[in-house]
Amino acid sequence: MCAITSARAESISIGELSKHSGVNIETIRYYERIKMLPAPRRTASGRRLYGPAERRTLAFIRRSRDLGFTLEEIRALLALGGPERAPCADVHKIASAHLANVRKKLSDLVKLETILAETVAQCSEGATPDCPVLDILDAGRQS
């Protein structure tokens, strides 16, 4: 098989890329516009064609988003050379900062869980206008 035929056989449309990756077509186009995903090759009629490199980059972006990385963090990781070439020390720095953010969110969620559990425990579930859950939610409005 010649290289041209092989390249065509590996190319897929944006719809197929969306189905395989689970990423919405509009999100794929957005990633292209903000230069997170390289612009794909196009047919003479303008149809986008994606190959293995674009599929891998999109999978990397999707998994990174699933793990809570911001677009800027992912952009920084991709700028390091992508999944196969990034220097480990630089990746470590970005991942460590993300880990610190995750730990802060976990701490905040534990505090929130405690407050909600205490508030819900005070709730009488009756028809009374006094509701501790609503009181705590409304507390932010009172200044």
Side-chain angles (χ1 to χ4, degrees), residues 32-84:
E32 290 172 14
R33 276 194 312 276
I34 65 169
K35 310 264 189 261
M36 298 268 307
L37 191 62
R41 293 173 297 134
R42 292 187 181 253
T43 65
S45 65
R47 184 173 166 238
R48 290 170 165 91
L49 294 176
Y50 299 89
E54 293 89 359
R55 290 193 298 259
R56 181 162 186 198
T57 300
L58 184 59
F60 179 82
I61 293 169
R62 169 139 193 221
R63 182 67 180 139
S64 298
R65 294 295 287 156
D66 288 346
L67 293 174
F69 283 87
T70 66
L71 289 177
E72 287 309 310
E73 289 169 331
I74 299 167
R75 185 185 306 280
L77 290 169
L78 290 170
L80 293 172
E84 63 278 346

